[in-house]
Amino acid sequence: MDIIDKIDISRLPKHIAIIMDGNGRWAQQQGMDRIFGHQNGVQSVKETVETCAELGVEYLTLYAFSTENWQRPKEEVSALMDLLVSTINAETPVLQKNNIRLAAIGDIDSLRPNTKAELEKAIAETAHNTRLTLILALSYSSRWEITNSLQIICKKVQEGKLNPENITSDLISQHLTTAAFPDPELLIRTSGEYRISNFLLWQIAYAELYFTPKLWPEFRKNDLYEAIIDFQSRERRFGKTSEQINP
Ligand code: FPP
């Protein structure tokens, strides 16, 4: 029996989010610089996107660059931005061909003008695709996002457009950069670290968490299958009892 046969296609997570970690350590193991790790991470990105599309996962969010990543050495930030632009340019026709829509979350205005322009071009070109939505988290952090949404909400209250009593959980969700997407049901982190690192804190309230020791450049199709099989073995109770879920 192939590992893929163990997946129940009728119970796929609708949205998978991934913290792609371990590029630097993988490169170090090869005696190479960190940038070599990021370059090889692109192959894992491609394989993961392809696998999600083949299976029928509807949304995939990748943590590609955090607000905190701006503090890395200038050369690494620059190389990561160049890699993003070159990958987006090279892969947009592939996204088109495979009916995949590109989207982005985060403080997009803080990106370098050419990165922002290329990203927005690819988002516009793929806007009508319907198979899988690939969401890149860029200059993203959850605390930035929640703070930003609070500023927008408070301004509406100040202008008399919103009554504080009408601030609900749904209203907060609608003011996050993820407003157009459902919450992730499965969050994967590679590289054996057990942290969330300021990623989608609000949105993962009920997500299943999956940690693998694999470093991101080593993450392959079968690793994603394993994560989904593990997800499907769990009982998701959303605060209810097991008896209420399985009467
Ligand atoms: C974390 O590994 C990885 C990143 C900060 C960048 C991820 C970027 C890519 C995989 C390449 C481009 C992505 C797209 C979507 C085209 P790390 O550097 O923190 O690794 P370490 O913890 O071992 O140092």
Side-chain angles (χ1 to χ4, degrees), residues 74-87:
K74 234 174 60 202
E75 308 71 52
E76 185 174 346
V77 171
S78 216
L80 266 170
M81 289 298 148
D82 290 345
L83 190 59
L84 263 168
V85 171
S86 60
T87 308

Side-chain angles (χ1 to χ4, degrees), residues 20-26 34 37-39 41-42 45 62-66 69 72 76 80 83-84 87-88 136 191 193 215-216:
M20 310 181 286
D21 196 15
N23 291 351
R25 275 164 287 168
W26 182 84
R34 302 178 50 79
H38 299 314
Q39 286 163 344
V42 173
V45 169
L62 300 177
Y63 204 3
F65 195 85
S66 73
N69 285 155
R72 291 193 174 194
E76 185 174 346
L80 266 170
L83 190 59
L84 263 168
T87 308
I88 289 169
L136 299 182
S191 93
E193 306 285 358
L215 303 173
W216 179 250

Side-chain angles (χ1 to χ4, degrees), residues 108-122:
I108 303 306
D109 288 337
S110 71
L111 297 175
R112 289 197 318 211
N114 77 317
T115 313
K116 188 178 167 214
E118 293 297 337
L119 179 70
E120 285 178 341
K121 197 167 104 210

Side-chain angles (χ1 to χ4, degrees), residues 159-176:
E159 290 168 352
K161 290 179 185 157
L162 178 67
N163 185 336
E165 280 146 37
N166 293 334
I167 300 176
T168 58
S169 164
D170 279 348
L171 184 122
I172 294 171
S173 294
Q174 284 157 21
H175 286 80
L176 300 173

Side-chain angles (χ1 to χ4, degrees), residues 213-227:
K214 284 273 173 87
L215 303 173
W216 179 250
E218 301 170 323
F219 192 83
R220 287 290 164 269
K221 214 172 241 235
N222 277 359
D223 299 302
L224 184 62
Y225 293 156
E226 298 275 7

Side-chain angles (χ1 to χ4, degrees), residues 26-88:
W26 182 84
Q28 206 171 26
Q29 285 174 6
Q30 320 288 314
M32 303 294 277
D33 64 13
R34 302 178 50 79
I35 293 158
F36 183 73
H38 299 314
Q39 286 163 344
N40 279 272
V42 173
Q43 187 51 40
S44 305
V45 169
K46 286 197 221 167
E47 200 159 319
T48 302
V49 172
E50 193 184 291
T51 310
C52 283
E54 279 167 8
L55 286 172
V57 172
E58 291 179 44
Y59 298 87
L60 171 68
T61 299
L62 300 177
Y63 204 3
F65 195 85
S66 73
T67 312
E68 291 76 20
N69 285 155
W70 289 113
Q71 292 158 29
R72 291 193 174 194
K74 234 174 60 202
E75 308 71 52
E76 185 174 346
V77 171
S78 216
L80 266 170
M81 289 298 148
D82 290 345
L83 190 59
L84 263 168
V85 171
S86 60
T87 308
I88 289 169

